[in-house]
Each structure stands twice: as C-alpha cells, then as structure tokens.
Amino acid sequence: MSETQSTQTGHASAIRVEGLNKWFGSFQVLFDINLTVENGERVVICGPSGSGKSTLIRCINALEDHQQGVIEVEGKALGHDSTSVYDVRTEVGMVFQHFNLFPHLTILENCILAPTVVRKTPRKEAEATAMHFLEKVKIPEQANKYPIQLSGGQQQRVAIARSLCMRPRVMLFDEPTSALDPEMIKEVLDTMVALAGEGMTMVCVTHEMGFARKVANRVVFMDAGAIVEVNSPDAFFTNPQNERTQAFLNQVLQH
Amino acid sequence: MNYNFSFPYIWGATPDLLDGLWMTLLISLLSIAISVVIGVVGAGLRVFQVPILSQLVAAYVNFIRSTPLLVQIFFIFFGLAEFGIRLGGFWSGILALSLWGGAYNTENVRGGLSAVDKGQREAAYSLGLRPLHYLRHVALPIGLRVSIPAMLNTAVSVLKNSSYLQAIGVAELTFVAMNRVATDFRTLEMFLAIGAMYLAIVLVLSAAVRRLEAVLQKPFRTA
C-alpha cells in the first residue's frame, strides 16, 4: 500500500507531497508536510480547526500556492507556472464545504460546463456523461432545476457529480458535510462511500469519524500546521500514539 | 407675457427633428455598446489585477470621472486635430461618449464582479477552467446581473449626454432644435418637442434593460 518508490516501478503515486512548507505572509501555516497517497487509497485528514487540513488539500490543486517543497499528482509536479497548475487541476476533483454550484446554471449545465469548455467534449456526449454521474449520485430527476431549488444534501451530491464529470484521478473533499443538516449528512456520506467502493482515490478532510472508520485506509491527524500522526483507522481510534491525538479523540468521540 | 404656442410649428419641424433623433440614436447606441465592451474588459483587467494594464485602467477611470465631459469632447475634437488626428464630429462624438461611458461601466462591472462569491472562482478553477473561462461562463453572468441597474444609469446618461455633441456641430437632436430656434425663435415648441423625444427613448431603453434583467434573474428565483 505505501509503496513510496512506486515512481521507479513505472506507475506514479496518486499524490506525493514532500517537505511542504507554506506561509500566509510571514505566518507559517504548514510545516514540513510529507504525505504520499497511492492510487485507490482513501485518506482521511482530521484535526482541530486551524490545523492546516484545508490549506493542505487546497495546495494539492493549487487553490493555494506553496513556498517550499514538492507536490506531485500522478507524477506531474505542481510548479508555479500556469501550465502545470492546469495540468494538475484537470486530474484532481474537489468538493467544497459550501458546494459552490454555479447558481446561474441548471444542474445539468453545471455538470457539462467544464467538460465542454476545458476538454472540448461535444455537448451531447458531455450531457450523457453528466446524466450517468447524476444517476450515480441518485439525482437525475433534478437535472433541469437550478441549484437554489435543491436541498443542501442534493446540492452537495451534484457538486460531487460535477467533479466526476471531468473524470478526475483523485478527489479532494474539504469538509463536505460541515454545512449540512444532520439528516442530509448521510446521503452525502453514502455517495462518498459508494465512490470509495469503486476504487476512487480520495483525500477527505472531515470530522465524520464514522466515515473515517468505515472507508479510510489511513487517517492523518494534523495539529498546528504539521502532521502529528498517520495511522490505520483501527489503530488511530483504539490506540492513538500521540498525546495530542488522544486529547482530540476524547473531544470528538465523546458523543 | 404673450406667447403663441404653435403645435403646427412642431408638426412642420418633425421631419428635421426625426433626422436629429436618428443621429442621436445612432451615436448613443453605438457608444453604449462600445462602453459596455470597455467596461467588461476594463473590469476584467482590474479584477484579475493584470500588471500595468490594471493601473492604466484605474488611471483612465479616474481621469474620465474627474474631468467634465464637455472638456473631453473638445479635447478629442479640437485637441487631437492639433496632432493631425481629425476624426470629424461624428466619430469624435462616439469616441468621447464611449470613453466616458466605458469608465463608468468599468466601475459598474467591477462592482458586480466583486460581488461574486469567491467560492465560485475556486469551484471553477478546481474544475480546470482558466481565468477567462471563469470570467466568461461564471463571473460575468452572475456579476452583470448585479451591475445592470448601474449600467442602465450609465447608458441613459450616455444617451442624454449625446446632446453635448451639438457643441462640435454634430447634427443630433439638440443641435437640430437649437438651429431652428436660432432662425424661428420657437423656443418652447422645440425644447418641449425634443424633451418628449428624449423621454420616450429613455423609457424604451429602460424597458428593454428590465427585460434583460428578468432573464438573468430567472435562475435566482425559486420556482
């Protein structure tokens, strides 16, 4: 699973982050981050707020730039030039806390915009792909509605489908259920579990410990901008190594 | 005071006035169209903070907003002629009004674009859209909706300000009226008539823009 030398054996890791340091102005927010995610692996990143979880995954598709270190997606290095940024972004899908659907476009139009504009996919073909993924997230009947007409959970499932329409190799989730009503969390998590079952490489920042236990291959715990502990879910929840992890788990698992 | 208001006089002047009205419409609509293009491009340069061009746009907007339109018109018509650039009244007028409206539209569109939630840009970029794709397919359709009332104001001002062009001899509506007043002294008739004409075209323009606004607004209303 953690075959770090995979580059030599012919296939690259899905994500390789090495010696990543990042500053906002003079304030350092990420400290020497090393993380490799293999194809098909599901990694959950958790930790207290302000620990740099979101910033880390936002660096992976260059929504944030980084000052030091190496980020590679499918063997493509993320440089500071726009070409490498676009190359990496087309391989990486992202789902946001606040869905960020395009409000002026219908659900179907949301899903076909990037494929038709970026990949130059013919409209008919893009629509067929979009309907395929809308069916996957169990929402095809909403295709001609506008985002505002959907519930939060539905909007988030559309956001997942919209990302999948670009056929990404890796999916990043930035607290995908944090803005949802408790009742809607399940439908989004179910969608994510199904996606995991199909072998999608996933990196999820989430506080859903049940989800972490169920689908993660590894759990990464971050605190104060650094990775404190990386462990299998079982070991992470039953026998956390780090003091800070123990304190965090005591807080979040209490109820 | 004993003034004999004469409707037949207005009737007799109508062919002349319609010529002027046509010129006013032609110049105004062209200038409005160009000023919208300038506004979109200028706002795009400002919002994406394109080096150098962004500062040039800011300076241009400041310059236009801080000097009287009549001075700008004279500068383009007489001033440029000193450099051998003779545009003539018609094109000088269109250039002046377009630059004037363009400066205001730059600010109008910029306001609309900055009202677009930053999550929209992040979503677009994460899907692989380039900045221009984002501008064209996401930011403008969302942002222009916010800008439209202000842009309508600017368009109406461009239309009304086209009457300044009588000062450089463009045969638009006000020029025609002034000419007739100079020979026939039918002041009330003429200014009442052109006032009504300006009012009518502004009302039509406003109605058209409201239709456009309704179309852009449609997705944002729950059915």
Side-chain angles (χ1 to χ4, degrees):
Chain A
M1 185 172 68
S2 53
E3 201 182 23
T4 43
Q5 296 303 308
S6 58
T7 325
Q8 266 101 16
T9 63
H11 69 92
S13 302
I15 299 172
R16 193 171 72 89
V17 177
E18 220 174 85
L20 174 68
N21 284 289
K22 174 171 175 60
W23 288 262
F24 282 128
S26 60
F27 182 71
Q28 188 165 5
V29 287
L30 291 178
F31 294 83
D32 192 33
I33 302 287
N34 295 292
L35 179 69
T36 303
V37 180
E38 297 304 331
N39 278 298
E41 209 184 356
R42 281 93 56 189
V43 172
V44 162
I45 303 178
C46 60
S49 57
S51 60
K53 319 177 288 288
S54 290
T55 307
L56 170 58
I57 68 165
R58 288 163 59 86
C59 282
I60 294 172
N61 68 350
L63 286 184
E64 302 283 355
D65 58 355
H66 60 282
Q67 282 75 38
Q68 272 178 20
V70 177
I71 298 175
E72 274 179 21
V73 176
E74 299 287 343
K76 292 179 188 168
L78 191 56
H80 300 283
D81 58 307
S82 47
T83 319
S84 72
V85 168
Y86 298 139
D87 277 356
V88 164
R89 279 180 184 156
T90 52
E91 304 284 347
V92 179
M94 189 170 211
V95 175
F96 300 86
Q97 183 177 354
H98 296 288
F99 333 134
N100 298 350
L101 294 181
F102 305 130
H104 61 300
L105 300 178
T106 64
I107 300 312
L108 188 65
E109 289 166 343
N110 262 276
C111 292
I112 67 169
L113 178 66
T116 52
V117 168
V118 180
R119 293 227 198 269
K120 313 278 180 222
T121 310
R123 194 186 164 93
K124 280 268 172 296
E125 194 186 322
E127 283 180 355
T129 308
M131 288 313 295
H132 167 77
F133 285 115
L134 286 174
E135 268 155 37
K136 273 222 144 84
V137 302
K138 302 195 173 68
I139 213 160
E141 70 282 0
Q142 312 283 5
N144 293 313
K145 291 194 177 168
Y146 286 101
I148 198 172
Q149 297 169 285
L150 271 57
S151 72
Q154 290 174 322
Q155 288 193 46
Q156 193 62 299
R157 285 185 283 147
V158 171
I160 294 171
R162 178 177 69 173
S163 273
L164 293 175
C165 284
M166 284 298 278
R167 309 258 182 206
R169 311 279 297 269
V170 175
M171 285 286 284
L172 307 174
F173 293 83
D174 190 2
E175 303 201 26
T177 57
S178 298
L180 293 174
D181 289 345
E183 287 182 306
M184 294 172 184
I185 291 177
K186 186 178 177 301
E187 64 186 60
V188 171
L189 289 180
D190 285 348
T191 306
M192 292 167 64
V193 171
L195 195 57
E198 289 171 14
M200 175 61 79
T201 308
M202 296 164 71
V203 179
C204 313
V205 171
T206 182
H207 300 295
E208 296 297 331
M209 294 303 141
F211 174 80
R213 225 184 248 276
K214 197 161 160 189
V215 306
N217 302 102
R218 281 185 298 160
V219 179
V220 172
F221 180 74
M222 287 183 74
D223 187 37
I227 291 180
V228 174
E229 181 166 348
V230 182
N231 226 326
S232 71
D234 268 355
F236 181 81
F237 288 111
T238 54
N239 187 22
Q241 298 303 300
N242 190 285
E243 220 173 275
R244 188 66 189 83
T245 317
Q246 290 161 11
F248 177 77
L249 287 175
N250 278 335
Q251 292 298 319
V252 296
L253 295 181
Q254 248 169 18
H255 40 247
Chain B
M1 166 139 185
N2 192 7
Y3 191 94
N4 276 324
F5 194 91
S6 162
F7 280 108
Y9 180 79
I10 296 182
W11 186 241
T14 300
D16 267 11
L17 290 179
L18 285 181
D19 282 350
L21 180 66
W22 165 243
M23 180 60 84
T24 291
L25 279 176
L26 182 66
I27 287 183
S28 301
L29 293 182
L30 272 171
S31 301
I32 289 168
I34 298 170
S35 72
V36 169
V37 174
I38 293 176
V40 168
V41 173
L45 293 171
R46 294 282 281 143
V47 167
F48 287 111
Q49 295 173 359
V50 179
I52 304 167
L53 292 177
S54 172
Q55 284 84 343
L56 283 178
V57 171
Y60 149 70
V61 170
N62 257 328
F63 176 77
I64 296 286
R65 290 205 301 191
S66 319
T67 53
L69 175 58
L70 193 57
V71 173
Q72 294 161 21
I73 292 169
F74 285 153
F75 178 82
I76 287 170
F77 185 71
F78 297 115
L80 290 186
E82 297 293 324
F83 299 105
I85 305 169
R86 288 191 177 76
L87 296 174
F90 182 77
W91 291 109
S92 294
I94 286 181
L95 181 60
L97 289 176
S98 300
L99 287 176
W100 185 86
Y104 283 92
N105 274 339
T106 298
E107 290 302 280
N108 295 337
V109 178
R110 191 165 74 99
L113 290 181
S114 41
V116 178
D117 182 70
K118 76 172 173 40
Q120 295 291 313
R121 195 195 288 215
E122 294 182 349
Y125 284 2
S126 78
L127 287 165
L129 268 71
R130 315 287 197 261
L132 279 180
H133 294 150
Y134 161 72
L135 190 66
R136 153 87 179 75
H137 295 285
V138 180
L140 281 175
I142 298 173
L144 281 184
R145 183 182 55 97
V146 181
S147 308
I148 278 185
M151 291 172 78
L152 172 62
N153 266 339
T154 299
V156 167
S157 296
V158 166
L159 201 149
K160 291 186 298 182
N161 286 342
S162 68
S163 70
Y164 279 120
L165 300 181
Q166 60 90 13
I168 56 170
V170 177
E172 45 69 55
L173 191 53
T174 305
F175 181 90
V176 172
M178 299 274 282
N179 242 0
R180 293 196 69 112
V181 168
T183 52
D184 301 339
F185 306 108
R186 287 283 173 186
T187 323
L188 265 184
E189 285 85 346
M190 279 298 92
F191 291 128
L192 192 71
I194 68 170
M197 285 176 161
Y198 280 117
L199 180 66
I201 50 183
V202 167
L203 288 179
V204 171
L205 181 64
S206 306
V209 173
R210 263 197 303 275
R211 286 289 290 276
L212 174 66
E213 205 181 352
V215 171
L216 285 174
Q217 198 70 354
K218 190 176 147 236
F220 297 84
R221 279 191 304 258
T222 34

